[in-house]
Amino acid sequence: MKVSIRKISQITGFSPATVSNALNRKKGVNAATSEKIFKAAETLGYQQEKTITKIKFVTYRKNGLIIDDSQIFPAMIEGVERQAKELGYETTFSHLNYEDESFELRLREFLEDTNCLSILLGTEMMEEDYLPFYDYKGYLIVLDGWSDEMAFDGVLINNTDAVCQAMEYLVGKGHTKIGYLRGDYRIKAFRYREFGYHRVTGKYRLKMEPEFQITLGTKLESAYQDMKRYLERTANLPTAFFADNDVIAIGAMRAMKEKGIRIPEDISIVGFDDIGFGSVSTPGLTTIRVFKQEMGEVAVRRALDHIKYSGKNVKMKIQVCTQFVERDSVRRIDR
């Protein structure tokens, strides 16, 4: 049987208004009275209904190697804000910087606040980074990330299938020597993209040259410098590259053009993310478009479903499909 405020009032002798004010931690109720009311409420098994009016967007910055240079996350935030506003919810923001000396304090403050529906940006998070969140008592959904323990809902990019589509495109253009520009910080998204790369090379039994799988930094400058050093060591290149993201692709393109390598005449490149730089680069970068705002909107709707269907503890992994964008960085070659 549901325990009411009136029942607690009858047991303690305090008025319903006093009981309500105490349970909602309002001022004007002395400590001794509050203690008696809370003790009675606990004994009776009273469960206070919470009215959640806010959605908290939490950015988890592990090292900045991905999110600092990327343009996709502001769009995800915009999607969260827009959808929340349309549905009558306020958006607040929290920033967890793993490299900051105040990280543990900020993390503890977040974990103690259960009055919001929380959307956690998991782009840079590794599996061990999710551990502190396992005991979080509020609702948490991970955006652009996923915990292998399936402890939370998640909204993420359909990474593997998207790369399969890009690789099939390159094979269809006649490319049989396809290299891989892999980011040196192996976030989960990159690992799933690598699965797609190997799935297609295996499907067509393409010859895998180890030297064509090049590890580069994940920032524009580090990708450029690493590719520049690679090109100083060898002139042996594939006919095409798939890059883990557009930032890596654009940095590598700069190094290749400085070396006199023409794109796409000498080598073709496909990126991932469809950031603004790619559409105005020379040549325009063929890439995979991520529906960034829509991902934020989906995360909000899933979070609100948690309220609507309270009591159902089914976890969901929602993968948002992508769109292949053909520009000028790939050419057809004769087999």
Side-chain angles (χ1 to χ4, degrees):
M1 181 182 296
K2 186 176 180 181
V3 179
S4 66
I5 287 178
R6 185 171 296 280
K7 180 67 173 179
I8 299 172
S9 172
Q10 292 171 353
I11 295 295
T12 60
F14 298 112
S15 70
T18 300
V19 171
S20 177
N21 287 339
L23 293 175
N24 287 288
R25 303 181 187 277
K26 292 184 178 180
K27 294 180 179 179
V29 183
N30 66 54
T33 299
S34 292
E35 185 179 354
K36 290 177 182 178
I37 291 171
F38 273 107
K39 187 174 181 179
E42 183 179 355
T43 302
L44 293 169
Y46 174 77
Q47 293 184 341
Q48 188 174 9
E49 293 184 0
K50 292 183 178 180
T51 301
I52 295 177
T53 60
K54 296 181 180 179
I55 292 175
K56 180 179 288 186
F57 189 95
V58 185
T59 302
Y60 191 106
R61 183 186 184 277
K62 183 67 177 283
N63 47 36
L65 292 175
I66 307 297
I67 66 176
D68 283 2
D69 270 10
S70 179
Q71 301 173 3
I72 74 172
F73 307 110
M76 288 183 180
I77 293 172
E78 183 180 341
V80 168
E81 283 191 290
R82 183 172 63 191
Q83 185 70 92
K85 184 176 181 180
E86 286 180 3
L87 296 173
Y89 287 78
E90 178 187 351
T91 307
T92 62
F93 297 91
S94 178
H95 188 67
L96 298 175
N97 185 348
Y98 185 79
E99 296 180 320
D100 195 288
E101 60 182 14
S102 65
F103 171 76
E104 293 294 340
L105 174 61
R106 299 287 174 241
L107 177 61
R108 188 164 61 251
E109 288 175 349
F110 166 73
L111 294 175
E112 290 173 353
D113 180 9
T114 60
N115 293 318
C116 300
L117 296 170
S118 296
I119 298 175
L120 175 66
L121 182 65
T123 307
E124 292 192 346
M125 296 177 71
M126 298 299 188
E127 190 60 34
E128 62 271 15
D129 297 317
Y130 290 106
L131 291 175
F133 297 92
Y134 286 171
D135 295 326
Y136 181 58
K137 302 304 181 185
Y139 173 78
L140 176 67
I141 183 169
V142 182
L143 179 60
D144 196 32
W146 175 251
S147 166
D148 293 340
E149 294 295 321
M150 294 181 282
F152 322 103
D153 286 334
V155 176
L156 58 157
I157 302 163
N158 191 359
N159 290 290
T160 301
D161 290 342
V163 175
C164 286
Q165 183 182 14
M167 291 290 289
E168 291 278 1
Y169 169 81
L170 288 172
V171 172
K173 289 288 188 179
H175 296 275
T176 58
K177 289 186 176 181
I178 305 172
Y180 177 31
L181 302 178
R182 60 195 306 276
D184 61 357
Y185 181 49
R186 303 305 294 161
I187 59 172
K188 287 192 171 186
F190 288 175
R191 284 184 248 165
Y192 283 109
R193 291 171 196 179
E194 187 170 0
F195 292 156
Y197 171 81
H198 287 294
R199 181 183 295 176
V200 175
T201 55
K203 174 182 176 180
Y204 292 100
R205 293 187 170 90
L206 304 182
K207 187 176 181 181
M208 298 291 294
E209 301 283 354
E211 65 267 31
F212 293 165
Q213 297 180 56
I214 308 168
T215 301
L216 306 179
T218 56
K219 290 178 171 288
L220 278 170
E221 184 63 23
S222 60
Y224 159 70
Q225 293 292 348
D226 289 343
M227 191 67 188
K228 187 176 179 180
R229 282 189 286 270
Y230 174 83
L231 294 173
E232 289 170 354
R233 300 194 303 267
T234 182
N236 184 28
L237 292 172
T239 62
F241 276 117
F242 165 73
D244 266 334
N245 65 17
D246 288 356
V247 171
I248 293 170
I250 293 169
M253 286 169 65
R254 176 185 164 197
M256 285 188 273
K257 284 190 280 188
E258 285 186 4
K259 195 72 173 177
I261 299 168
R262 299 169 303 163
I263 302 167
E265 292 83 359
D266 299 323
I267 193 162
S268 297
I269 298 181
V270 176
F272 198 119
D273 284 341
D274 190 27
I275 64 174
F277 292 153
S279 63
V280 298
S281 65
T282 306
L285 179 62
T286 296
T287 187
I288 295 165
R289 177 170 297 153
V290 175
F291 293 100
K292 316 161 191 71
Q293 291 186 3
E294 289 80 359
M295 288 179 66
E297 293 171 0
V298 169
V300 171
R301 292 197 294 270
R302 173 56 191 156
L304 296 180
D305 278 348
H306 173 76
I307 295 178
K308 185 177 180 180
Y309 303 107
S310 59
K312 292 189 176 181
N313 198 29
V314 178
K315 297 296 186 294
M316 289 191 179
K317 181 180 184 181
I318 304 169
Q319 297 193 59
V320 178
C321 295
T322 58
Q323 180 182 12
F324 190 76
V325 179
E326 185 176 10
R327 295 197 181 104
D328 301 320
S329 63
V330 176
R331 76 176 182 96
R332 179 178 295 278
I333 63 173
D334 296 327
R335 292 182 184 273

